[in-house]
Amino acid sequence: MPNPTENPPLAGRRAQAARNDATILAAARAVFLDDPKAPIAAVAERAGVGISALYRRYAGKEDLLRKLCHDGLLRFVAAAEEAAAESDDWAALAGFLERVVDADVHSLTVHLAGTFTPTEEMGRAAVRANELVDGLVGRARDAGRLRPDAVTQDVGLLLEGCAAIRVPDPDRTRELRRRHLAVLLAGLAAPGPPLPGPPPAAGELDWRWRSTGK
């Protein structure tokens, strides 16, 4: 019979490694949202770890940026999947937007797009995210709750607008973003006057991901 005392030390080391990784990712997020061109050494300093500890986990800055954005994309997908299970069509869309704005995952797209080469796995997750948002927008539109001239790409612009709001106090940032989101949701609700100009086309904002650099 296996000795039950053999597993806890390994589990403990794994738990510590997970905590260290979470600390590094949180530091990286803060550093690169403030300055996407910051060196990876700034992440180690903010996380309170040696640069060698960081390099044991990530091959370099681009690898770390990929991890940050992939995690944010997965959180976006999870929020959309949760919203898809909501029976009320408008509540599903509004609730999804609130969760994404509160999680601040879109700031990563705004600040880090074009700073690394996305993986195929990220591409598949992005396709899944678009499909889910298409579904939420289509449901709300078909139910007559969303104005008929609003498109899925408008949601991306809405999220970028909320992500642009940032003040030194995180709690106040959240309040201001929620307030702005409420204003934008009121503008998306049907009925309403026609929106000016043609809607953003599919892929129109993707140019940012085609230009990579450190």
PDB file of all heavy atoms in Angstrom, residues 148-172:
ATOM      1  N   PRO A 148     -31.243  46.670 -34.185  1.00  0.00           N
ATOM      2  CA  PRO A 148     -30.968  45.800 -35.337  1.00  0.00           C
ATOM      3  C   PRO A 148     -29.705  46.150 -36.108  1.00  0.00           C
ATOM      4  O   PRO A 148     -29.183  45.310 -36.833  1.00  0.00           O
ATOM      5  CB  PRO A 148     -32.216  45.969 -36.219  1.00  0.00           C
ATOM      6  CG  PRO A 148     -32.803  47.275 -35.821  1.00  0.00           C
ATOM      7  CD  PRO A 148     -32.509  47.416 -34.355  1.00  0.00           C
ATOM      8  N   ASP A 149     -29.190  47.383 -35.973  1.00  0.00           N
ATOM      9  CA  ASP A 149     -27.997  47.751 -36.730  1.00  0.00           C
ATOM     10  C   ASP A 149     -26.707  47.553 -35.941  1.00  0.00           C
ATOM     11  O   ASP A 149     -25.630  47.927 -36.400  1.00  0.00           O
ATOM     12  CB  ASP A 149     -28.094  49.197 -37.236  1.00  0.00           C
ATOM     13  CG  ASP A 149     -28.410  50.199 -36.129  1.00  0.00           C
ATOM     14  OD1 ASP A 149     -28.701  49.766 -34.996  1.00  0.00           O
ATOM     15  OD2 ASP A 149     -28.376  51.414 -36.410  1.00  0.00           O
ATOM     16  N   ALA A 150     -26.803  46.964 -34.753  1.00  0.00           N
ATOM     17  CA  ALA A 150     -25.608  46.661 -33.962  1.00  0.00           C
ATOM     18  C   ALA A 150     -25.061  45.306 -34.392  1.00  0.00           C
ATOM     19  O   ALA A 150     -25.816  44.368 -34.661  1.00  0.00           O
ATOM     20  CB  ALA A 150     -25.940  46.642 -32.478  1.00  0.00           C
ATOM     21  N   VAL A 151     -23.733  45.198 -34.475  1.00  0.00           N
ATOM     22  CA  VAL A 151     -23.095  43.958 -34.915  1.00  0.00           C
ATOM     23  C   VAL A 151     -22.111  43.485 -33.850  1.00  0.00           C
ATOM     24  O   VAL A 151     -21.770  44.212 -32.910  1.00  0.00           O
ATOM     25  CB  VAL A 151     -22.369  44.152 -36.260  1.00  0.00           C
ATOM     26  CG1 VAL A 151     -23.353  44.539 -37.355  1.00  0.00           C
ATOM     27  CG2 VAL A 151     -21.256  45.187 -36.140  1.00  0.00           C
ATOM     28  N   THR A 152     -21.636  42.268 -34.030  1.00  0.00           N
ATOM     29  CA  THR A 152     -20.713  41.680 -33.063  1.00  0.00           C
ATOM     30  C   THR A 152     -19.462  42.531 -32.880  1.00  0.00           C
ATOM     31  O   THR A 152     -18.953  42.682 -31.765  1.00  0.00           O
ATOM     32  CB  THR A 152     -20.313  40.263 -33.522  1.00  0.00           C
ATOM     33  OG1 THR A 152     -21.487  39.455 -33.578  1.00  0.00           O
ATOM     34  CG2 THR A 152     -19.319  39.634 -32.558  1.00  0.00           C
ATOM     35  N   GLN A 153     -18.962  43.099 -33.984  1.00  0.00           N
ATOM     36  CA  GLN A 153     -17.743  43.900 -33.888  1.00  0.00           C
ATOM     37  C   GLN A 153     -17.932  45.157 -33.036  1.00  0.00           C
ATOM     38  O   GLN A 153     -16.971  45.690 -32.477  1.00  0.00           O
ATOM     39  CB  GLN A 153     -17.258  44.290 -35.295  1.00  0.00           C
ATOM     40  CG  GLN A 153     -16.676  43.134 -36.095  1.00  0.00           C
ATOM     41  CD  GLN A 153     -17.753  42.157 -36.582  1.00  0.00           C
ATOM     42  OE1 GLN A 153     -18.901  42.548 -36.802  1.00  0.00           O
ATOM     43  NE2 GLN A 153     -17.373  40.913 -36.757  1.00  0.00           N
ATOM     44  N   ASP A 154     -19.178  45.628 -32.916  1.00  0.00           N
ATOM     45  CA  ASP A 154     -19.441  46.767 -32.037  1.00  0.00           C
ATOM     46  C   ASP A 154     -19.136  46.406 -30.585  1.00  0.00           C
ATOM     47  O   ASP A 154     -18.764  47.281 -29.792  1.00  0.00           O
ATOM     48  CB  ASP A 154     -20.901  47.216 -32.156  1.00  0.00           C
ATOM     49  CG  ASP A 154     -21.179  47.963 -33.450  1.00  0.00           C
ATOM     50  OD1 ASP A 154     -20.368  48.841 -33.809  1.00  0.00           O
ATOM     51  OD2 ASP A 154     -22.192  47.656 -34.103  1.00  0.00           O
ATOM     52  N   VAL A 155     -19.310  45.129 -30.247  1.00  0.00           N
ATOM     53  CA  VAL A 155     -19.022  44.687 -28.883  1.00  0.00           C
ATOM     54  C   VAL A 155     -17.537  44.858 -28.578  1.00  0.00           C
ATOM     55  O   VAL A 155     -17.150  45.289 -27.485  1.00  0.00           O
ATOM     56  CB  VAL A 155     -19.450  43.218 -28.688  1.00  0.00           C
ATOM     57  CG1 VAL A 155     -18.933  42.666 -27.356  1.00  0.00           C
ATOM     58  CG2 VAL A 155     -20.963  43.103 -28.746  1.00  0.00           C
ATOM     59  N   GLY A 156     -16.683  44.527 -29.553  1.00  0.00           N
ATOM     60  CA  GLY A 156     -15.253  44.701 -29.349  1.00  0.00           C
ATOM     61  C   GLY A 156     -14.883  46.156 -29.111  1.00  0.00           C
ATOM     62  O   GLY A 156     -14.078  46.471 -28.223  1.00  0.00           O
ATOM     63  N   LEU A 157     -15.480  47.060 -29.882  1.00  0.00           N
ATOM     64  CA  LEU A 157     -15.216  48.480 -29.689  1.00  0.00           C
ATOM     65  C   LEU A 157     -15.721  48.958 -28.334  1.00  0.00           C
ATOM     66  O   LEU A 157     -15.083  49.779 -27.664  1.00  0.00           O
ATOM     67  CB  LEU A 157     -15.876  49.285 -30.811  1.00  0.00           C
ATOM     68  CG  LEU A 157     -15.285  49.083 -32.207  1.00  0.00           C
ATOM     69  CD1 LEU A 157     -16.106  49.840 -33.250  1.00  0.00           C
ATOM     70  CD2 LEU A 157     -13.837  49.537 -32.252  1.00  0.00           C
ATOM     71  N   LEU A 158     -16.872  48.444 -27.930  1.00  0.00           N
ATOM     72  CA  LEU A 158     -17.422  48.793 -26.621  1.00  0.00           C
ATOM     73  C   LEU A 158     -16.460  48.379 -25.509  1.00  0.00           C
ATOM     74  O   LEU A 158     -16.181  49.155 -24.579  1.00  0.00           O
ATOM     75  CB  LEU A 158     -18.782  48.104 -26.453  1.00  0.00           C
ATOM     76  CG  LEU A 158     -19.535  48.271 -25.141  1.00  0.00           C
ATOM     77  CD1 LEU A 158     -21.035  48.119 -25.372  1.00  0.00           C
ATOM     78  CD2 LEU A 158     -19.106  47.244 -24.104  1.00  0.00           C
ATOM     79  N   LEU A 159     -15.929  47.173 -25.609  1.00  0.00           N
ATOM     80  CA  LEU A 159     -15.008  46.682 -24.578  1.00  0.00           C
ATOM     81  C   LEU A 159     -13.706  47.480 -24.572  1.00  0.00           C
ATOM     82  O   LEU A 159     -13.125  47.720 -23.510  1.00  0.00           O
ATOM     83  CB  LEU A 159     -14.733  45.198 -24.796  1.00  0.00           C
ATOM     84  CG  LEU A 159     -15.925  44.275 -24.514  1.00  0.00           C
ATOM     85  CD1 LEU A 159     -15.618  42.845 -24.956  1.00  0.00           C
ATOM     86  CD2 LEU A 159     -16.293  44.300 -23.037  1.00  0.00           C
ATOM     87  N   GLU A 160     -13.241  47.895 -25.747  1.00  0.00           N
ATOM     88  CA  GLU A 160     -12.039  48.713 -25.804  1.00  0.00           C
ATOM     89  C   GLU A 160     -12.272  50.057 -25.124  1.00  0.00           C
ATOM     90  O   GLU A 160     -11.394  50.584 -24.436  1.00  0.00           O
ATOM     91  CB  GLU A 160     -11.600  48.923 -27.249  1.00  0.00           C
ATOM     92  CG  GLU A 160     -11.012  47.689 -27.889  1.00  0.00           C
ATOM     93  CD  GLU A 160     -10.190  48.005 -29.125  1.00  0.00           C
ATOM     94  OE1 GLU A 160      -9.806  49.178 -29.295  1.00  0.00           O
ATOM     95  OE2 GLU A 160      -9.927  47.076 -29.905  1.00  0.00           O
ATOM     96  N   GLY A 161     -13.469  50.622 -25.337  1.00  0.00           N
ATOM     97  CA  GLY A 161     -13.789  51.898 -24.700  1.00  0.00           C
ATOM     98  C   GLY A 161     -13.782  51.793 -23.190  1.00  0.00           C
ATOM     99  O   GLY A 161     -13.269  52.677 -22.496  1.00  0.00           O
ATOM    100  N   CYS A 162     -14.315  50.707 -22.670  1.00  0.00           N
ATOM    101  CA  CYS A 162     -14.322  50.517 -21.218  1.00  0.00           C
ATOM    102  C   CYS A 162     -12.908  50.280 -20.694  1.00  0.00           C
ATOM    103  O   CYS A 162     -12.536  50.777 -19.633  1.00  0.00           O
ATOM    104  CB  CYS A 162     -15.229  49.342 -20.848  1.00  0.00           C
ATOM    105  SG  CYS A 162     -16.992  49.659 -21.091  1.00  0.00           S
ATOM    106  N   ALA A 163     -12.107  49.517 -21.440  1.00  0.00           N
ATOM    107  CA  ALA A 163     -10.745  49.211 -21.007  1.00  0.00           C
ATOM    108  C   ALA A 163      -9.874  50.461 -20.970  1.00  0.00           C
ATOM    109  O   ALA A 163      -8.892  50.517 -20.220  1.00  0.00           O
ATOM    110  CB  ALA A 163     -10.128  48.167 -21.924  1.00  0.00           C
ATOM    111  N   ALA A 164     -10.220  51.463 -21.777  1.00  0.00           N
ATOM    112  CA  ALA A 164      -9.423  52.695 -21.812  1.00  0.00           C
ATOM    113  C   ALA A 164      -9.581  53.514 -20.538  1.00  0.00           C
ATOM    114  O   ALA A 164      -8.752  54.389 -20.259  1.00  0.00           O
ATOM    115  CB  ALA A 164      -9.825  53.535 -23.021  1.00  0.00           C
ATOM    116  N   ILE A 165     -10.607  53.237 -19.767  1.00  0.00           N
ATOM    117  CA  ILE A 165     -10.846  53.981 -18.532  1.00  0.00           C
ATOM    118  C   ILE A 165      -9.969  53.403 -17.424  1.00  0.00           C
ATOM    119  O   ILE A 165     -10.103  52.232 -17.056  1.00  0.00           O
ATOM    120  CB  ILE A 165     -12.327  53.914 -18.127  1.00  0.00           C
ATOM    121  CG1 ILE A 165     -13.199  54.528 -19.223  1.00  0.00           C
ATOM    122  CG2 ILE A 165     -12.558  54.612 -16.793  1.00  0.00           C
ATOM    123  CD1 ILE A 165     -14.685  54.308 -19.017  1.00  0.00           C
ATOM    124  N   ARG A 166      -9.077  54.195 -16.897  1.00  0.00           N
ATOM    125  CA  ARG A 166      -8.182  53.714 -15.848  1.00  0.00           C
ATOM    126  C   ARG A 166      -7.722  54.897 -14.994  1.00  0.00           C
ATOM    127  O   ARG A 166      -7.218  55.883 -15.519  1.00  0.00           O
ATOM    128  CB  ARG A 166      -6.981  52.993 -16.451  1.00  0.00           C
ATOM    129  CG  ARG A 166      -6.075  52.298 -15.437  1.00  0.00           C
ATOM    130  CD  ARG A 166      -4.903  51.623 -16.134  1.00  0.00           C
ATOM    131  NE  ARG A 166      -5.346  50.616 -17.076  1.00  0.00           N
ATOM    132  CZ  ARG A 166      -5.624  49.349 -16.745  1.00  0.00           C
ATOM    133  NH1 ARG A 166      -5.511  48.955 -15.488  1.00  0.00           N
ATOM    134  NH2 ARG A 166      -6.003  48.495 -17.675  1.00  0.00           N
ATOM    135  N   VAL A 167      -7.929  54.788 -13.693  1.00  0.00           N
ATOM    136  CA  VAL A 167      -7.427  55.773 -12.740  1.00  0.00           C
ATOM    137  C   VAL A 167      -6.584  55.023 -11.714  1.00  0.00           C
ATOM    138  O   VAL A 167      -6.620  53.790 -11.651  1.00  0.00           O
ATOM    139  CB  VAL A 167      -8.598  56.534 -12.061  1.00  0.00           C
ATOM    140  CG1 VAL A 167      -9.380  57.351 -13.081  1.00  0.00           C
ATOM    141  CG2 VAL A 167      -9.523  55.574 -11.321  1.00  0.00           C
ATOM    142  N   PRO A 168      -5.800  55.737 -10.889  1.00  0.00           N
ATOM    143  CA  PRO A 168      -4.917  55.042  -9.941  1.00  0.00           C
ATOM    144  C   PRO A 168      -5.616  54.106  -8.975  1.00  0.00           C
ATOM    145  O   PRO A 168      -5.049  53.091  -8.565  1.00  0.00           O
ATOM    146  CB  PRO A 168      -4.232  56.201  -9.200  1.00  0.00           C
ATOM    147  CG  PRO A 168      -4.242  57.326 -10.182  1.00  0.00           C
ATOM    148  CD  PRO A 168      -5.534  57.192 -10.921  1.00  0.00           C
ATOM    149  N   ASP A 169      -6.855  54.415  -8.602  1.00  0.00           N
ATOM    150  CA  ASP A 169      -7.599  53.587  -7.646  1.00  0.00           C
ATOM    151  C   ASP A 169      -8.346  52.479  -8.403  1.00  0.00           C
ATOM    152  O   ASP A 169      -9.256  52.769  -9.183  1.00  0.00           O
ATOM    153  CB  ASP A 169      -8.598  54.461  -6.886  1.00  0.00           C
ATOM    154  CG  ASP A 169      -9.373  53.691  -5.818  1.00  0.00           C
ATOM    155  OD1 ASP A 169      -9.320  52.440  -5.812  1.00  0.00           O
ATOM    156  OD2 ASP A 169     -10.036  54.335  -4.986  1.00  0.00           O
ATOM    157  N   PRO A 170      -7.991  51.208  -8.206  1.00  0.00           N
ATOM    158  CA  PRO A 170      -8.653  50.109  -8.926  1.00  0.00           C
ATOM    159  C   PRO A 170     -10.156  50.045  -8.691  1.00  0.00           C
ATOM    160  O   PRO A 170     -10.916  49.738  -9.615  1.00  0.00           O
ATOM    161  CB  PRO A 170      -7.954  48.855  -8.388  1.00  0.00           C
ATOM    162  CG  PRO A 170      -6.637  49.331  -7.886  1.00  0.00           C
ATOM    163  CD  PRO A 170      -6.896  50.708  -7.354  1.00  0.00           C
ATOM    164  N   ASP A 171     -10.592  50.307  -7.463  1.00  0.00           N
ATOM    165  CA  ASP A 171     -12.026  50.265  -7.178  1.00  0.00           C
ATOM    166  C   ASP A 171     -12.765  51.360  -7.936  1.00  0.00           C
ATOM    167  O   ASP A 171     -13.866  51.146  -8.453  1.00  0.00           O
ATOM    168  CB  ASP A 171     -12.283  50.414  -5.673  1.00  0.00           C
ATOM    169  CG  ASP A 171     -11.840  49.191  -4.893  1.00  0.00           C
ATOM    170  OD1 ASP A 171     -11.781  48.093  -5.483  1.00  0.00           O
ATOM    171  OD2 ASP A 171     -11.552  49.328  -3.688  1.00  0.00           O
ATOM    172  N   ARG A 172     -12.157  52.544  -7.997  1.00  0.00           N
ATOM    173  CA  ARG A 172     -12.782  53.639  -8.737  1.00  0.00           C
ATOM    174  C   ARG A 172     -12.767  53.352 -10.237  1.00  0.00           C
ATOM    175  O   ARG A 172     -13.736  53.685 -10.948  1.00  0.00           O
ATOM    176  CB  ARG A 172     -12.041  54.952  -8.447  1.00  0.00           C
ATOM    177  CG  ARG A 172     -12.667  56.173  -9.104  1.00  0.00           C
ATOM    178  CD  ARG A 172     -14.115  56.367  -8.700  1.00  0.00           C
ATOM    179  NE  ARG A 172     -14.694  57.561  -9.301  1.00  0.00           N
ATOM    180  CZ  ARG A 172     -15.976  57.721  -9.563  1.00  0.00           C
ATOM    181  NH1 ARG A 172     -16.833  56.746  -9.267  1.00  0.00           N
ATOM    182  NH2 ARG A 172     -16.412  58.841 -10.084  1.00  0.00           N
TER     183      ARG A 172
END
